[in-house]
Coordinates of all heavy atoms in Angstrom, one line a residue:
I1 N 116.7 89.2 140.2 CA 116.4 88.7 138.9 C 114.9 88.3 138.7 O 114.4 88.4 137.6 CB 117.4 87.6 138.6 CG1 117.3 87.2 137.1 CG2 117.0 86.3 139.4 CD1 118.3 86.3 136.6
F2 N 114.2 88.0 139.8 CA 112.8 87.6 139.7 C 111.9 88.7 140.3 O 110.8 88.4 140.8 CB 112.6 86.3 140.4 CG 113.1 85.1 139.7 CD1 114.3 84.5 140.0 CD2 112.4 84.6 138.7 CE1 114.8 83.4 139.4 CE2 112.8 83.5 138.0 CZ 114.0 82.9 138.3
D3 N 112.2 89.9 140.1 CA 111.4 91.0 140.7 C 110.6 91.7 139.7 O 110.1 92.8 139.9 CB 112.2 92.0 141.5 CG 113.3 92.7 140.7 OD1 113.4 92.3 139.5 OD2 113.9 93.6 141.2
S4 N 110.3 91.1 138.5 CA 109.5 91.8 137.5 C 108.0 91.6 137.9 O 107.7 90.7 138.6 CB 109.8 91.2 136.1 OG 109.3 89.9 136.0
P5 N 107.1 92.5 137.3 CA 105.7 92.4 137.7 C 105.1 91.0 137.3 O 104.2 90.6 138.0 CB 105.1 93.5 136.9 CG 106.2 94.4 136.5 CD 107.4 93.6 136.5
T6 N 105.6 90.4 136.4 CA 105.0 89.1 135.9 C 105.6 87.9 136.8 O 105.1 86.8 136.6 CB 105.3 88.8 134.5 OG1 106.8 88.7 134.3 CG2 104.8 89.9 133.6
G7 N 106.6 88.2 137.6 CA 107.2 87.1 138.3 C 108.2 86.3 137.6 O 108.8 85.3 138.1
R8 N 108.4 86.6 136.3 CA 109.4 85.9 135.5 C 110.8 86.6 135.6 O 110.9 87.7 136.1 CB 109.0 86.0 134.0 CG 107.7 85.2 133.7 CD 107.4 85.2 132.3 NE 107.0 86.6 131.9 CZ 106.3 86.9 130.8 NH1 106.0 85.9 129.9 NH2 106.0 88.1 130.5
A9 N 111.8 85.9 135.2 CA 113.1 86.5 135.3 C 113.1 87.8 134.4 O 112.5 87.8 133.4 CB 114.1 85.5 134.8
Q10 N 113.8 88.8 134.8 CA 113.9 90.1 134.1 C 114.3 90.0 132.7 O 113.9 90.7 131.9 CB 114.8 91.0 134.9 CG 114.2 91.5 136.2 CD 115.2 92.4 136.9 OE1 116.3 92.5 136.6 NE2 114.6 93.1 137.9
F11 N 115.2 89.0 132.4 CA 115.6 88.9 131.0 C 114.6 88.3 130.1 O 114.7 88.4 128.9 CB 116.9 88.1 130.9 CG 116.8 86.6 131.4 CD1 116.4 85.7 130.4 CD2 117.0 86.3 132.7 CE1 116.3 84.3 130.8 CE2 116.9 84.9 133.1 CZ 116.5 84.0 132.1
I12 N 113.5 87.7 130.6 CA 112.5 87.0 129.8 C 111.5 88.1 129.3 O 111.0 88.0 128.2 CB 111.8 85.9 130.6 CG1 112.7 84.8 130.8 CG2 110.5 85.5 129.8 CD1 112.1 83.7 131.6
D13 N 111.2 89.1 130.1 CA 110.2 90.1 129.7 C 110.6 90.8 128.4 O 109.7 91.0 127.5 CB 110.0 91.1 130.8 CG 109.1 90.5 131.9 OD1 108.3 89.6 131.7 OD2 109.2 91.1 133.1
P14 N 111.8 91.3 128.2 CA 112.2 91.9 127.0 C 112.0 91.0 125.8 O 111.6 91.4 124.7 CB 113.6 92.4 127.2 CG 113.8 92.5 128.6 CD 112.9 91.4 129.2
I15 N 112.4 89.7 126.0 CA 112.3 88.7 124.9 C 110.8 88.5 124.6 O 110.4 88.5 123.4 CB 112.9 87.4 125.3 CG1 114.4 87.6 125.5 CG2 112.6 86.3 124.3 CD1 115.2 86.5 126.1
S16 N 110.0 88.4 125.6 CA 108.5 88.2 125.4 C 107.9 89.4 124.7 O 107.1 89.3 123.8 CB 107.9 88.0 126.7 OG 106.5 87.9 126.6
N17 N 108.3 90.6 125.1 CA 107.8 91.8 124.5 C 108.2 91.9 123.0 O 107.4 92.3 122.2 CB 108.2 93.1 125.3 CG 107.5 93.2 126.6 OD1 106.5 92.6 126.8 ND2 108.1 93.9 127.5
A18 N 109.4 91.6 122.7 CA 109.9 91.7 121.4 C 109.2 90.7 120.5 O 108.8 91.0 119.4 CB 111.4 91.4 121.3
F19 N 109.0 89.5 121.0 CA 108.3 88.5 120.3 C 106.8 88.9 120.0 O 106.3 88.8 118.9 CB 108.3 87.1 121.0 CG 107.5 86.1 120.3 CD1 108.0 85.4 119.2 CD2 106.2 85.7 120.8 CE1 107.3 84.5 118.5 CE2 105.5 84.7 120.1 CZ 106.0 84.1 119.0
G20 N 106.2 89.5 121.0 CA 104.8 89.9 120.9 C 104.7 91.1 119.9 O 103.8 91.1 119.1
N21 N 105.7 92.0 119.9 CA 105.7 93.1 118.9 C 105.9 92.6 117.5 O 105.3 93.1 116.6 CB 106.8 94.1 119.3 CG 106.4 94.9 120.5 OD1 105.3 95.0 120.9 ND2 107.4 95.4 121.2
A22 N 106.7 91.6 117.3 CA 107.0 91.0 116.0 C 105.8 90.4 115.5 O 105.4 90.5 114.3 CB 108.2 90.0 116.1
V23 N 105.1 89.6 116.3 CA 103.8 88.9 115.9 C 102.8 90.0 115.5 O 102.1 89.9 114.5 CB 103.3 88.0 117.0 CG1 101.9 87.5 116.7 CG2 104.3 86.8 117.2
S24 N 102.6 91.0 116.3 CA 101.7 92.0 116.1 C 102.0 92.7 114.7 O 101.1 93.0 113.9 CB 101.7 93.0 117.2 OG 100.8 94.1 116.9
T25 N 103.2 93.0 114.5 CA 103.6 93.7 113.3 C 103.4 92.8 112.1 O 102.9 93.3 111.0 CB 105.1 94.1 113.3 OG1 105.3 94.9 114.4 CG2 105.6 94.7 112.0
N26 N 103.6 91.5 112.2 CA 103.4 90.6 111.1 C 101.9 90.5 110.8 O 101.5 90.4 109.6 CB 104.0 89.2 111.4 CG 105.5 89.2 111.2 OD1 106.1 90.0 110.6 ND2 106.1 88.2 111.9
L27 N 101.1 90.4 111.8 CA 99.6 90.3 111.6 C 99.1 91.6 111.0 O 98.2 91.5 110.1 CB 98.9 90.1 113.0 CG 99.1 88.7 113.6 CD1 98.5 88.6 114.9 CD2 98.6 87.6 112.6
Q28 N 99.6 92.7 111.4 CA 99.2 94.0 110.8 C 99.6 94.0 109.3 O 98.8 94.5 108.5 CB 100.0 95.1 111.5 CG 99.2 96.3 111.7 CD 99.9 97.3 112.7 OE1 101.1 97.3 112.8 NE2 99.1 98.1 113.4
Q29 N 100.8 93.5 109.0 CA 101.2 93.5 107.6 C 100.3 92.6 106.7 O 99.9 92.9 105.6 CB 102.7 93.1 107.5 CG 103.2 93.2 106.1 CD 103.2 94.6 105.5 OE1 103.5 95.5 106.2 NE2 102.8 94.7 104.3
I30 N 100.0 91.4 107.3 CA 99.1 90.5 106.6 C 97.7 91.2 106.4 O 97.1 91.1 105.3 CB 98.9 89.2 107.4 CG1 100.2 88.4 107.4 CG2 97.7 88.4 106.9 CD1 100.3 87.3 108.4
R31 N 97.2 91.9 107.4 CA 95.9 92.6 107.2 C 96.0 93.6 106.1 O 95.1 93.7 105.3 CB 95.5 93.2 108.6 CG 94.1 93.8 108.5 CD 93.7 94.4 109.8 NE 94.4 95.7 110.0 CZ 95.0 96.1 111.0 NH1 95.2 95.4 112.1 NH2 95.6 97.3 111.1
H32 N 97.1 94.4 106.1 CA 97.2 95.4 105.1 C 97.4 94.8 103.7 O 96.8 95.3 102.7 CB 98.5 96.3 105.4 CG 98.3 97.2 106.5 ND1 97.4 98.3 106.5 CD2 98.8 97.2 107.8 CE1 97.4 98.9 107.7 NE2 98.2 98.2 108.5
N33 N 98.1 93.7 103.6 CA 98.3 93.0 102.3 C 97.0 92.5 101.8 O 96.6 92.6 100.6 CB 99.3 91.9 102.3 CG 100.7 92.4 102.5 OD1 101.0 93.6 102.3 ND2 101.6 91.6 102.9
T34 N 96.2 91.9 102.7 CA 94.9 91.4 102.3 C 93.9 92.5 101.8 O 93.3 92.4 100.8 CB 94.2 90.6 103.5 OG1 95.1 89.6 103.9 CG2 92.9 90.1 103.1
R35 N 93.9 93.6 102.6 CA 93.1 94.8 102.2 C 93.5 95.3 100.9 O 92.7 95.5 100.0 CB 93.3 95.9 103.3 CG 92.4 97.1 103.0 CD 92.9 98.3 103.8 NE 94.2 98.7 103.3 CZ 95.2 99.2 104.0 NH1 95.0 99.2 105.3 NH2 96.3 99.5 103.5
D36 N 94.8 95.4 100.6 CA 95.3 95.9 99.3 C 94.9 95.0 98.2 O 94.5 95.5 97.1 CB 96.8 96.1 99.4 CG 97.2 97.2 100.3 OD1 96.4 98.1 100.7 OD2 98.4 97.3 100.6
A37 N 95.0 93.7 98.4 CA 94.6 92.7 97.4 C 93.1 92.9 97.0 O 92.7 92.8 95.9 CB 94.9 91.3 97.8
V38 N 92.3 93.0 98.1 CA 90.8 93.2 97.8 C 90.6 94.5 97.1 O 89.8 94.5 96.1 CB 90.1 93.2 99.2 CG1 88.6 93.6 99.0 CG2 90.2 91.8 99.8
Y39 N 91.2 95.6 97.5 CA 91.0 96.9 96.9 C 91.5 96.9 95.4 O 91.0 97.6 94.6 CB 91.7 98.0 97.6 CG 91.0 98.3 99.0 CD1 91.7 99.0 99.9 CD2 89.7 98.0 99.2 CE1 91.1 99.3 101.1 CE2 89.1 98.3 100.4 CZ 89.8 98.9 101.4 OH 89.2 99.3 102.6
N40 N 92.5 96.1 95.1 CA 93.1 96.1 93.8 C 92.7 94.9 92.9 O 93.3 94.6 91.9 CB 94.6 96.2 93.9 CG 95.1 97.5 94.5 OD1 94.5 98.5 94.3 ND2 96.0 97.4 95.4
A41 N 91.6 94.3 93.2 CA 91.2 93.1 92.6 C 90.5 93.3 91.2 O 89.3 93.3 91.1 CB 90.2 92.3 93.5
N42 N 91.3 93.5 90.2 CA 90.9 93.5 88.8 C 89.6 94.2 88.6 O 88.7 93.7 87.8 CB 90.9 92.1 88.2 CG 92.2 91.5 88.2 OD1 93.2 92.2 87.9 ND2 92.3 90.2 88.4
L43 N 89.3 95.3 89.2 CA 88.1 96.1 89.0 C 88.4 97.2 88.1 O 89.6 97.7 88.0 CB 87.5 96.6 90.3 CG 87.0 95.4 91.2 CD1 86.7 96.0 92.6 CD2 85.8 94.7 90.6
P44 N 87.5 97.7 87.3 CA 87.7 98.9 86.4 C 88.2 100.1 87.2 O 87.8 100.3 88.4 CB 86.4 99.1 85.8 CG 85.4 98.2 86.4 CD 86.1 97.3 87.3
D45 N 89.0 100.9 86.6 CA 89.6 102.1 87.2 C 88.5 103.1 87.7 O 88.7 103.8 88.6 CB 90.6 102.8 86.3 CG 91.9 101.9 86.2 OD1 92.1 101.1 87.0 OD2 92.6 102.2 85.2
N46 N 87.4 103.0 87.0 CA 86.3 104.0 87.3 C 85.3 103.5 88.3 O 84.3 104.1 88.6 CB 85.6 104.4 86.0 CG 84.9 103.3 85.3 OD1 85.1 102.1 85.6 ND2 84.1 103.6 84.3
Q47 N 85.6 102.3 88.9 CA 84.7 101.7 89.9 C 84.6 102.7 91.1 O 85.7 103.2 91.5 CB 85.2 100.4 90.4 CG 84.4 99.7 91.5 CD 83.0 99.4 91.2 OE1 82.8 98.7 90.2 NE2 82.1 99.9 92.0
L48 N 83.4 102.9 91.6 CA 83.3 103.8 92.7 C 83.1 103.1 94.0 O 82.6 102.0 94.1 CB 82.0 104.7 92.5 CG 82.1 105.7 91.3 CD1 80.8 106.4 91.2 CD2 83.3 106.6 91.5
Y49 N 83.6 103.7 95.1 CA 83.6 103.2 96.5 C 83.0 104.2 97.4 O 83.3 105.4 97.2 CB 84.9 102.7 96.9 CG 85.6 101.7 96.1 CD1 86.3 102.1 94.9 CD2 85.6 100.4 96.4 CE1 86.9 101.2 94.1 CE2 86.2 99.4 95.6 CZ 86.9 99.8 94.5 OH 87.5 98.9 93.7
T50 N 82.4 103.8 98.5 CA 82.0 104.7 99.5 C 82.7 104.3 100.8 O 83.1 103.1 101.0 CB 80.5 104.6 99.9 OG1 80.1 103.3 100.2 CG2 79.6 105.1 98.7
W51 N 83.0 105.3 101.7 CA 83.6 105.0 103.0 C 82.5 104.6 103.9 O 81.5 105.2 104.1 CB 84.2 106.4 103.5 CG 85.1 106.2 104.7 CD1 84.7 106.1 105.9 CD2 86.5 106.3 104.7 NE1 85.7 106.0 106.8 CE2 86.9 106.2 106.0 CE3 87.5 106.5 103.7 CZ2 88.2 106.2 106.4 CZ3 88.8 106.5 104.1 CH2 89.2 106.3 105.5
T52 N 82.7 103.3 104.4 CA 81.6 102.8 105.3 C 82.2 102.6 106.7 O 83.2 102.1 107.0 CB 81.3 101.3 104.8 OG1 80.9 101.5 103.4 CG2 80.2 100.7 105.6
L53 N 81.4 103.2 107.7 CA 81.7 103.1 109.1 C 81.3 101.7 109.6 O 80.3 101.2 109.3 CB 80.9 104.1 109.9 CG 81.1 105.6 109.5 CD1 80.1 106.5 110.2 CD2 82.6 106.0 109.7
V54 N 82.2 101.1 110.3 CA 82.0 99.7 110.8 C 81.8 99.7 112.3 O 81.0 99.1 112.9 CB 83.1 98.8 110.4 CG1 82.9 97.4 111.0 CG2 83.2 98.7 108.9
K55 N 82.7 100.5 113.0 CA 82.6 100.6 114.5 C 81.5 101.4 114.9 O 80.9 102.2 114.2 CB 84.0 101.2 115.0 CG 85.2 100.3 114.7 CD 86.4 100.8 115.4 CE 86.7 102.3 115.1 NZ 88.0 102.7 115.7
V56 N 81.2 101.4 116.2 CA 80.1 102.2 116.8 C 80.7 103.6 117.1 O 80.0 104.6 116.7 CB 79.6 101.5 118.1 CG1 78.6 102.5 118.8 CG2 79.0 100.2 117.9
N57 N 81.8 103.7 117.7 CA 82.4 105.0 117.9 C 83.5 105.3 116.9 O 84.5 104.6 116.8 CB 83.1 105.0 119.3 CG 82.0 104.9 120.4 OD1 80.9 105.4 120.3 ND2 82.4 104.1 121.4
N58 N 83.2 106.3 116.0 CA 84.2 106.6 114.9 C 84.8 108.0 115.1 O 84.1 108.9 115.7 CB 83.4 106.5 113.6 CG 82.9 105.2 113.3 OD1 83.6 104.3 112.9 ND2 81.6 105.0 113.6
C59 N 86.0 108.1 114.6 CA 86.6 109.4 114.7 C 86.0 110.4 113.8 O 85.2 110.1 112.9 CB 88.1 109.3 114.5 SG 88.6 109.1 112.7
D60 N 86.2 111.7 114.0 CA 85.6 112.8 113.2 C 86.0 112.6 111.7 O 85.2 112.9 110.8 CB 86.0 114.1 113.7 CG 85.4 114.4 115.1 OD1 84.4 113.8 115.4 OD2 85.9 115.3 115.8
D61 N 87.3 112.2 111.4 CA 87.7 112.1 110.0 C 86.9 111.0 109.3 O 86.4 111.2 108.2 CB 89.2 111.6 110.0 CG 90.2 112.7 110.3 OD1 89.8 113.9 110.4 OD2 91.3 112.4 110.6
C62 N 86.7 109.9 110.0 CA 85.9 108.8 109.4 C 84.4 109.2 109.1 O 83.9 108.9 108.1 CB 86.0 107.5 110.2 SG 87.7 106.8 110.2
V63 N 83.9 109.9 110.1 CA 82.5 110.3 110.0 C 82.4 111.3 108.8 O 81.5 111.1 107.9 CB 82.0 111.0 111.3 CG1 80.6 111.6 111.0 CG2 81.9 109.9 112.4
A64 N 83.3 112.2 108.7 CA 83.3 113.1 107.5 C 83.4 112.4 106.2 O 82.7 112.7 105.2 CB 84.4 114.2 107.7
R65 N 84.3 111.4 106.1 CA 84.6 110.7 104.9 C 83.4 109.8 104.5 O 83.1 109.6 103.4 CB 85.8 109.9 105.0 CG 87.0 110.8 105.0 CD 88.3 110.1 105.2 NE 89.4 111.1 105.3 CZ 90.6 110.8 105.5 NH1 91.0 109.6 105.5 NH2 91.5 111.8 105.6
S66 N 82.7 109.3 105.5 CA 81.5 108.5 105.2 C 80.4 109.3 104.6 O 79.5 108.8 104.0 CB 81.0 107.8 106.5 OG 80.4 108.7 107.4
N67 N 80.4 110.6 104.8 CA 79.4 111.5 104.2 C 79.8 112.1 102.8 O 79.0 112.8 102.2 CB 79.1 112.7 105.2 CG 78.4 112.2 106.4 OD1 77.5 111.4 106.3 ND2 78.8 112.7 107.6
E68 N 81.0 111.7 102.4 CA 81.5 112.2 101.1 C 80.8 111.4 99.9 O 80.4 110.3 100.1 CB 83.0 112.1 101.0 CG 83.7 113.1 101.9 CD 85.2 113.0 101.8 OE1 85.7 112.6 100.7 OE2 85.9 113.5 102.7
E69 N 80.9 112.0 98.8 CA 80.4 111.3 97.6 C 81.3 110.1 97.2 O 82.5 110.1 97.6 CB 80.4 112.3 96.4 CG 79.4 113.4 96.5 CD 78.0 112.9 96.4 OE1 77.6 112.0 95.6 OE2 77.1 113.4 97.2
P70 N 80.8 109.1 96.6 CA 81.6 107.9 96.2 C 82.8 108.4 95.3 O 82.7 109.4 94.6 CB 80.7 107.1 95.4 CG 79.3 107.4 95.9 CD 79.4 108.9 96.2
K71 N 83.9 107.7 95.5 CA 85.1 108.0 94.7 C 85.7 106.8 94.1 O 85.4 105.7 94.6 CB 86.1 108.7 95.7 CG 85.8 110.0 96.3 CD 86.9 110.4 97.3 CE 86.7 111.7 98.0 NZ 85.4 112.3 98.0
T72 N 86.6 107.0 93.2 CA 87.3 105.8 92.6 C 88.4 105.5 93.6 O 88.7 106.2 94.6 CB 88.0 106.2 91.3 OG1 89.0 107.2 91.5 CG2 87.0 106.6 90.3
M73 N 89.0 104.3 93.5 CA 90.1 103.9 94.4 C 91.3 104.9 94.3 O 91.8 105.2 95.4 CB 90.6 102.5 94.0 CG 91.6 101.9 94.9 SD 91.1 101.9 96.7 CE 89.8 100.7 96.5
A74 N 91.6 105.4 93.1 CA 92.7 106.4 93.0 C 92.4 107.6 93.8 O 93.2 108.2 94.5 CB 92.9 106.7 91.6
E75 N 91.1 108.1 93.8 CA 90.7 109.2 94.6 C 90.8 109.0 96.1 O 91.2 109.8 96.8 CB 89.3 109.7 94.2 CG 89.2 110.2 92.7 CD 87.8 110.4 92.2 OE1 86.9 109.6 92.6 OE2 87.6 111.4 91.5
W76 N 90.3 107.8 96.5 CA 90.4 107.5 97.9 C 91.9 107.3 98.4 O 92.2 107.7 99.5 CB 89.7 106.2 98.3 CG 88.2 106.4 98.4 CD1 87.2 105.8 97.6 CD2 87.5 107.2 99.3 NE1 86.0 106.2 98.0 CE2 86.1 107.1 99.1 CE3 87.9 108.1 100.3 CZ2 85.2 107.8 99.8 CZ3 87.0 108.8 101.1 CH2 85.6 108.6 100.8
E77 N 92.7 106.8 97.5 CA 94.2 106.7 97.8 C 94.8 108.1 98.1 O 95.6 108.3 98.9 CB 94.9 106.0 96.8 CG 94.6 104.5 96.8 CD 95.2 103.7 95.6 OE1 95.6 104.3 94.6 OE2 95.3 102.5 95.7
L78 N 94.3 109.1 97.3 CA 94.8 110.5 97.6 C 94.3 111.0 98.9 O 95.1 111.7 99.6 CB 94.3 111.4 96.4 CG 94.9 111.2 95.1 CD1 94.3 112.1 94.0 CD2 96.4 111.5 95.1
V79 N 93.1 110.7 99.3 CA 92.6 111.1 100.6 C 93.2 110.3 101.7 O 93.5 110.8 102.8 CB 91.0 111.0 100.6 CG1 90.4 111.3 101.9 CG2 90.4 111.9 99.5
G80 N 93.3 109.0 101.5 CA 93.8 108.1 102.5 C 92.9 107.0 102.7 O 91.7 107.2 102.9
L81 N 93.4 105.7 102.6 CA 92.5 104.6 102.7 C 92.3 104.2 104.2 O 93.1 104.6 105.1 CB 93.2 103.4 102.1 CG 93.5 103.5 100.6 CD1 94.3 102.3 100.1 CD2 92.2 103.6 99.8
P82 N 91.2 103.5 104.5 CA 90.9 103.1 105.9 C 92.1 102.2 106.4 O 92.7 101.5 105.6 CB 89.7 102.2 105.8 CG 89.0 102.7 104.5 CD 90.1 103.1 103.6
Q83 N 92.5 102.4 107.6 CA 93.5 101.6 108.3 C 94.9 101.9 107.7 O 95.8 101.1 108.0 CB 93.2 100.1 108.2 CG 91.9 99.7 108.8 CD 91.6 98.2 108.5 OE1 92.4 97.4 108.2 NE2 90.3 97.9 108.7
A84 N 95.1 103.0 107.0 CA 96.4 103.3 106.4 C 97.0 104.4 107.2 O 98.1 104.9 106.8 CB 96.2 103.7 105.0
G85 N 96.4 104.9 108.3 CA 97.1 105.9 109.1 C 96.7 107.3 108.7 O 97.3 108.3 109.1
A86 N 95.7 107.5 107.8 CA 95.4 108.8 107.3 C 94.2 109.5 108.0 O 93.8 110.6 107.7 CB 95.0 108.7 105.8
T87 N 93.8 108.8 109.1 CA 92.7 109.4 109.9 C 93.1 109.5 111.3 O 94.2 109.0 111.7 CB 91.4 108.5 109.8 OG1 91.8 107.2 110.3 CG2 90.9 108.3 108.4
I88 N 92.3 110.2 112.1 CA 92.6 110.4 113.5 C 92.8 109.1 114.2 O 93.7 108.9 115.1 CB 91.5 111.2 114.2 CG1 91.5 112.7 113.7 CG2 91.7 111.3 115.7 CD1 90.3 113.5 114.1
C89 N 92.0 108.1 113.8 CA 92.1 106.8 114.5 C 93.3 106.0 114.0 O 93.5 104.8 114.5 CB 90.8 106.0 114.4 SG 90.2 105.9 112.7
N90 N 94.0 106.5 113.0 CA 95.2 105.9 112.5 C 95.0 104.5 112.0 O 94.1 104.3 111.3 CB 96.3 105.9 113.6 CG 97.7 106.0 113.1 OD1 98.0 105.7 111.9 ND2 98.6 106.2 114.0
E91 N 95.9 103.5 112.3 CA 95.7 102.2 111.8 C 94.7 101.4 112.6 O 94.4 100.2 112.2 CB 97.1 101.4 111.9 CG 98.1 102.0 110.9 CD 99.4 101.3 111.0 OE1 99.6 100.4 111.8 OE2 100.2 101.5 110.1
Y92 N 94.1 102.0 113.6 CA 93.0 101.3 114.3 C 91.6 101.6 113.8 O 90.6 101.2 114.4 CB 93.1 101.7 115.8 CG 94.4 101.4 116.4 CD1 95.4 102.4 116.6 CD2 94.8 100.1 116.7 CE1 96.6 102.1 117.1 CE2 96.0 99.8 117.2 CZ 96.9 100.8 117.4 OH 98.2 100.5 117.9
C93 N 91.6 102.2 112.6 CA 90.3 102.4 111.9 C 89.7 101.1 111.6 O 90.3 100.2 111.1 CB 90.7 103.2 110.6 SG 89.2 103.6 109.6
G94 N 88.4 101.1 111.8 CA 87.6 99.8 111.4 C 86.8 100.0 110.2 O 86.0 99.2 109.9
C95 N 87.0 101.1 109.5 CA 86.1 101.4 108.3 C 86.6 100.6 107.1 O 87.6 100.0 107.1 CB 86.2 102.9 108.0 SG 85.6 104.0 109.3
E96 N 85.7 100.6 106.1 CA 85.9 99.9 104.9 C 85.5 100.7 103.7 O 84.7 101.6 103.9 CB 85.1 98.6 104.9 CG 85.4 97.6 106.0 CD 84.4 96.4 106.0 OE1 83.4 96.5 105.3 OE2 84.7 95.5 106.7
L97 N 86.1 100.4 102.6 CA 85.6 101.0 101.3 C 84.6 100.0 100.7 O 85.0 98.8 100.6 CB 86.7 101.3 100.4 CG 87.6 102.5 100.8 CD1 88.7 102.7 99.7 CD2 86.9 103.7 101.1
T98 N 83.4 100.4 100.4 CA 82.4 99.5 99.9 C 82.1 99.8 98.4 O 82.0 101.0 98.1 CB 81.1 99.6 100.7 OG1 81.4 99.5 102.1 CG2 80.1 98.6 100.3
L99 N 82.1 98.8 97.6 CA 81.8 99.0 96.2 C 80.4 99.6 96.0 O 79.4 99.1 96.7 CB 81.8 97.6 95.5 CG 83.1 97.0 95.2 CD1 83.0 95.6 94.7 CD2 83.9 97.8 94.1
V100 N 80.3 100.5 95.1 CA 79.0 101.1 94.7 C 78.5 100.2 93.6 O 79.2 100.1 92.6 CB 79.1 102.6 94.4 CG1 77.8 103.1 93.9 CG2 79.6 103.4 95.5
K101 N 77.3 99.7 93.7 CA 76.8 98.8 92.6 C 76.0 99.6 91.6 O 75.5 100.6 91.8 CB 75.9 97.7 93.2 CG 76.7 97.0 94.3 CD 76.5 95.5 94.1 CE 77.4 94.9 95.2 NZ 77.7 93.7 95.1

């Protein structure tokens, strides 16, 4: 019963893993909700955004999108928003959409 790699009882590891996964999922959902609220913050429909690279090492999809012309939010939603799973880096994307002034 105590032969797990952590030295804890075998029945504790699945509970610990499930709890960790639930917390991670909840934090991910909060991050997505916050991002959506910022992107949808009472701005005109014709407001333009650029894809901005934030991380040092970016996937090919993100690099290509950062070189595209500014788009409206609706246009970016068709292509796929950062951190929404539409790029090679999936939900681990660190990019942002930046308002064009």
Side-chain angles (χ1 to χ4, degrees):
I1 191 168
F2 284 100
D3 62 353
S4 71
T6 63
R8 296 182 290 199
Q10 289 177 344
F11 65 87
I12 293 176
D13 285 336
I15 295 168
S16 176
N17 290 340
F19 178 74
N21 289 339
V23 170
S24 175
T25 300
N26 286 339
L27 290 174
Q28 216 170 31
Q29 186 61 44
I30 291 168
R31 187 179 78 228
H32 289 289
N33 290 345
T34 302
R35 181 197 68 220
D36 292 345
V38 169
Y39 288 160
N40 296 319
N42 295 326
L43 294 170
D45 290 340
N46 63 349
Q47 174 65 53
L48 296 177
Y49 301 83
T50 57
W51 189 283
T52 304
L53 302 174
V54 176
K55 298 188 304 185
V56 175
N57 296 321
N58 298 282
C59 76
D60 292 340
D61 288 346
C62 291
V63 171
R65 290 175 187 182
S66 72
N67 291 318
E68 292 183 22
E69 293 294 319
K71 297 177 177 17
T72 65
M73 185 57 64
E75 291 170 326
W76 280 119
E77 286 173 342
L78 290 174
V79 174
L81 298 174
Q83 303 175 16
T87 59
I88 295 170
C89 52
N90 207 348
E91 292 183 352
Y92 301 103
C93 176
C95 298
E96 299 173 348
L97 293 181
T98 306
L99 284 167
V100 174
K101 306 229 178 198

